[in-house]
Amino acid sequence: MRWLGVVMVLLSVEAAAKCSNEWYGVAPEPGVELPPSAHVLVTLGGKHQDLTPKLEFVAGPQKIAATVVHTFDGMSQRLVLVKPASPLPPGTWELLLALPKESPPSRRFGPWKVKKEADSTPPSFVSAPSLGGTDWQEFGCGPGSTIDVKGVTANEPVFVEAALTVEGKTTTAVLNPAGDVVGLGHGMCSGAFQLNPGAKGTVVLTALDYAGNRGAASAPITFTAPGPTK
């Protein structure tokens, strides 16, 4: 039992170290074909969650500033949806994140192939999104709270805008679904919404395609945030 306690402490220390590190994420995945008005979702995690990012689209010597469309501060992460200040010419483009006080002083995301044709058609969900599973788990550095909404498949690749209302207050995030599921909760170290166990609320989902076109909003979906079981 003594060794088990030591192992658990070491695992907790390792998990805490991972939770305090910085990380980056980007959607859509590299190689995806994008329209000239490409919308890209960047995740800044750990110590970079408080970063005000300087981002620009680059293709060789070409540079076009990135305009912030939406920012959401979740649990230990910042989600930043950006688009180019002017339409991207056809070609292979990357997104450059400047970090002048870091080493290396920049990060590159992508590349993506930008097509010539513009897209003005709103996306739509194939079926009505509905509440999936909810779960609560205790981990080394804290709990994980899972609140999944399923059925978020659209007629084209999309991000999902989630407008979540709890106790009369609405908070909106743009999230990247995993398959046909969008997660509203969080893991041990980070995630979208951090809700008190037992909190009751609703969420309305809207599909947002990579060109920035908005689909019709879903009906409100009711949920109860999970908590520890006795």
Side-chain angles (χ1 to χ4, degrees):
M1 294 299 294
R2 178 184 176 185
W3 282 108
L4 178 60
V6 172
V7 170
M8 291 301 293
V9 169
L10 289 175
L11 288 175
S12 296
V13 170
E14 181 182 0
K18 290 181 179 179
C19 288
S20 65
N21 287 338
E22 71 277 2
W23 70 93
Y24 313 91
V26 64
E29 296 181 353
V32 171
E33 191 173 66
L34 297 178
S37 59
H39 281 54
V40 175
L41 184 63
V42 178
T43 303
L44 306 171
K47 73 176 186 179
H48 285 322
Q49 64 179 310
D50 297 324
L51 183 69
T52 300
K54 180 182 178 182
L55 293 157
E56 60 183 354
F57 291 90
V58 296
Q62 299 181 83
K63 295 183 179 181
I64 294 179
T67 300
V68 175
V69 177
H70 183 79
T71 299
F72 170 71
D73 290 321
M75 175 184 170
S76 296
Q77 66 179 22
R78 172 169 287 179
L79 295 166
V80 185
L81 182 68
V82 300
K83 67 176 183 178
S86 59
L88 301 176
T92 301
W93 287 83
E94 296 177 294
L95 185 64
L96 180 68
L97 168 63
L99 298 167
K101 296 183 180 180
E102 299 290 329
S103 180
S106 65
R107 303 289 190 279
R108 286 178 177 264
F109 304 114
W112 303 278
K113 182 180 179 181
V114 173
K115 59 185 179 180
K116 181 179 180 180
E117 297 78 15
D119 177 8
S120 59
T121 304
S124 60
F125 290 122
V126 174
S127 59
S130 60
L131 185 65
T134 64
D135 188 38
W136 176 279
Q137 293 189 52
E138 296 287 351
F139 295 110
C141 287
S145 176
T146 301
I147 306 172
D148 287 340
V149 178
K150 62 183 180 180
V152 297
T153 303
N155 60 344
E156 61 176 304
V158 294
F159 300 121
V160 174
E161 179 188 88
L164 188 147
T165 302
V166 176
E167 296 180 352
K169 181 180 180 181
T170 300
T171 306
T172 302
V174 176
L175 306 172
N176 186 44
D180 70 341
V181 174
V182 64
L184 306 178
H186 59 83
M188 177 179 68
C189 297
S190 67
F193 299 97
Q194 190 171 11
L195 303 171
N196 293 327
K200 298 182 183 298
T202 61
V203 63
V204 174
L205 304 184
T206 302
L208 181 72
D209 69 19
Y210 296 161
N213 300 307
R214 295 171 59 86
S218 73
I221 301 164
T222 302
F223 65 88
T224 300
T229 56
K230 297 182 180 180

